[in-house]
Amino acid sequence: MKTESRGNTSISLQDPTLFTAPQSSLPGALRGCLGSLDGACIEKLLLHCASALESHDVTLAQQVMWVLNNVASSLGDPNQRLTSWFLRALISRASRVCPTPMNFNGSSALQRRLMSVTELAGYVDLIPWHRFGYCASNSAIFKAVEGYSRVHILDFSITHCMQWPTLIDALAKRPEGPPMLRISVPSWRPPVPPLLNVGSEEVGQRLANFAKFKDVPFDFNVIEDPSSPTTVAAISKASSDFHFDLLLSKLDPSILNLRDDEALVINCQNWLRYLPDEQNVSGSSNETCNSRDAFLDVIKGLNPRIITVVDEDSDLGGSSLTSRITTCFNYLWIPFDALETFLPKDSDQRMEYEADIGHKIENIIGFEGVQRIERLESGFKFSQRMKTAGFTNLPFCEETLREVKFLLDEHASGWGMKKDEDMLVLTWKGHNSVYATAWVPCGFEDSGV
C-alpha cells in the first residue's frame, strides 16, 4: 500500500475502504480516462468528483477518486504530482461535506515546517516566482525615491522582508548617498507558507545589521496588534481571522510617525488576496464595501510616493467549486512544470516547494466561507479595482525592464516577461504567472518607474 506522508500527516491513497470502485461500475466517460496522463482528462475527472461532492453522491465521488488515484503520484511527472495534491484537497473536502463519512486513513491537513532564514533564501531563489516581483518593485521604488533623504516603506508581504537586502544595497550606491531608510511591517501575516522560525523583531535586526554593513541609516518597526500571536509557534498555527479594523486604525499618520520630508512607499507582495473580498453593507447609507477597498482607501489617504503590488495572475476566488478547480488546475501546473526542468523527482527541496503549493490547493478546493482565505484576483481585475479606488498606474521604465530580463536570464529558458496595459507579467512558456504593478493616487503621476 502506498502511503503519502508529511510531518504528522498520513493518507493511504490506496486504502481499499476509500477506493473500492471496480472499473466496470464507472460511467463510460470516466473509464476512458483510466491510465491517462492527459491534463484535459484529469481536469474532467476533477470536475466530475467536485460535482459528485456538491450533490452528495458519495458513491460516484469515491469512484472518481479511485480513478484519480491511479493517475496521481507524488514522485511522477508534473501532471501526476499536481493531481496528487488535488486528490488530497478533494479528500479533505469530502471528509467535511459528505453526509455519509468517506472512509480514509488519516487527515489531509498539512503540517508546515518552519524554515531558517538561510532555507528561506534558497526557497525564494529556486524559481523567479518571488524574485521577479522583488526586482520589478525595487527598481520602481529606487526611481520613485530619487532625491529624497528619508524613505519609509510600509511592507505588506508574506516572505518576511526577503525583498529588502537588494534595495538596501542599491540605495547604498546612490551617487548622492543613501537615505535614512525606515521599514514598518504589520505584526499580523496570513498563516500561509513560507513560515519562518524567527519572529519579525529578529528579521528586523538582521536587516539592521546588513544596512549597517552597507552604511545605510536604518530603522525597523513592527505595527503591533495586541490580538496577534506573539510566539513563532503560535503564528504558524494562527487562524485566518484577524482584526482588520484594528489594522486600519494603525495606518494613521501620527501612529506611523509619517514625516513631510520622507518618501512613503507602500509595498504589497502576495498579501492583498488575504483580505476578505465579500461585499458588506456599511453605515447608514447602506453602501457596500469590502476589506480590500477599505484598505486601498486608507493607504490612498497616506499620500504615498508609490504603491507597488505584486501577486499571482489568476482568478481563484470564485464562489463555484468547479470554476475554481478549472482555473486552479490550469494555473498551478506552472510551478510544477518549471520545477521539473531542473530538479530530480525525489528532490526534498522540490517536494517541499510543491507541498506549499498543495497547501494553497487544499484551501482553494477544500474550504468555503471564512476558512477559504486564498481569494486571488487576476492582474486585470486588480487594475480595475485600483482605478476605481482613485489610483493611477505608473508604467515601468526601460531600466526596470532590463533589470528584470537580467534576472530571468539566470533561470530556465522557459521564463519570460511581457508588458500588458498596466502590468509587467512573468510568464512560463508564454503563460501568465505573476504580475507586478506600480501606482500613485490620482494627481501624483510621474512619467514612469
Side-chain angles (χ1 to χ4, degrees), residues 144 305-307 392-396 422 437-440 444-449:
R305 175 68 179 158
I306 187 174
I307 301 140
T392 300
N393 176 254
L394 295 179
F396 291 101
D422 303 318
T437 58
W439 305 85
V440 290
F444 293 86
E445 298 86 346
D446 279 341
S447 58
V449 293

Side-chain angles (χ1 to χ4, degrees), residues 62-132:
Q62 287 182 312
Q63 290 176 346
V64 180
M65 287 181 181
W66 179 83
V67 180
L68 285 169
N69 187 55
N70 281 273
V71 175
S73 170
S74 63
L75 295 175
D77 66 21
N79 268 343
Q80 292 174 299
R81 297 167 86 104
L82 181 60
T83 301
S84 71
W85 288 107
F86 271 86
L87 181 56
R88 284 173 177 262
L90 288 168
I91 292 172
S92 174
R93 185 181 183 92
S95 70
R96 290 186 301 275
V97 303
C98 286
T100 302
M102 299 182 69
N103 297 316
F104 64 96
N105 180 22
S107 166
S108 64
L110 301 175
Q111 302 297 318
R112 305 306 315 133
R113 184 177 71 85
L114 302 180
M115 294 183 180
S116 69
V117 174
T118 301
E119 289 172 327
L120 179 60
Y123 177 97
V124 166
D125 287 343
L126 196 58
I127 59 176
W129 205 262
H130 294 291
R131 291 183 68 205
F132 163 80

Side-chain angles (χ1 to χ4, degrees), residues 20 26 40-41 73 88 137 163 182 206 223 233 249 283 305 316 320 326 331-332 337 353 381 384 389 409 425 436:
T20 57
L26 292 171
C41 190
S73 170
R88 284 173 177 262
S137 296
Q163 176 176 348
R182 186 154 57 111
R206 288 170 180 260
I223 306 170
S249 71
R305 175 68 179 158
L316 297 176
S320 164
T326 296
Y331 174 66
L332 288 178
D337 192 57
Y353 201 101
K381 284 188 175 181
Q384 296 302 114
D409 286 344
V425 182

Side-chain angles (χ1 to χ4, degrees), residues 134-319:
Y134 296 170
C135 184
S137 296
N138 284 349
S139 180
I141 291 168
F142 184 85
K143 187 175 188 303
V145 302
E146 284 180 352
Y148 280 86
S149 60
R150 290 179 172 271
V151 176
H152 185 185
I153 299 174
L154 289 181
D155 183 30
F156 302 93
S157 69
I158 65 168
T159 50
H160 310 279
C161 295
M162 289 297 296
Q163 176 176 348
W164 303 125
T166 303
L167 181 64
I168 291 172
D169 182 62
L171 292 173
K173 300 172 183 176
R174 287 203 319 184
E176 69 271 32
M180 168 65 200
L181 177 62
R182 186 154 57 111
I183 296 178
S184 298
V185 301
S187 59
W188 176 88
R189 76 179 295 278
V192 298
L195 299 175
L196 198 59
N197 66 356
V198 297
S200 296
E201 290 78 7
E202 182 166 340
V203 169
Q205 185 58 54
R206 288 170 180 260
L207 283 177
N209 292 339
F210 182 75
K212 183 178 181 180
F213 174 72
K214 292 292 182 176
D215 293 323
V216 176
F218 183 79
D219 187 31
F220 186 85
N221 303 290
V222 178
I223 306 170
E224 295 290 350
D225 175 354
S227 67
S228 294
T230 56
T231 66
V232 172
I235 291 170
S236 69
K237 297 178 181 178
S239 74
S240 60
D241 296 330
F242 75 108
H243 294 273
F244 178 69
D245 291 339
L246 182 57
L247 173 63
L248 290 188
S249 71
K250 298 289 185 179
L251 303 182
D252 178 270
S254 60
I255 295 175
L256 295 172
N257 193 27
L258 300 186
R259 298 169 52 115
D260 292 336
D261 63 344
E262 69 180 2
L264 177 63
V265 175
I266 295 175
N267 182 71
C268 299
Q269 298 271 336
N270 301 92
W271 190 83
L272 281 172
R273 78 175 82 157
Y274 298 108
L275 297 183
D277 64 346
E278 294 87 351
Q279 295 292 333
N280 299 312
V281 177
S282 175
S284 58
S285 62
N286 289 329
E287 295 180 351
T288 59
C289 65
N290 64 41
S291 297
R292 295 181 195 183
D293 292 336
F295 174 79
L296 295 177
D297 189 56
V298 168
I299 64 172
K300 182 174 66 174
L302 299 177
N303 294 320
R305 175 68 179 158
I306 187 174
I307 301 140
T308 51
V309 179
V310 175
D311 218 321
E312 298 170 357
D313 194 15
S314 185
D315 279 308
L316 297 176
S319 58

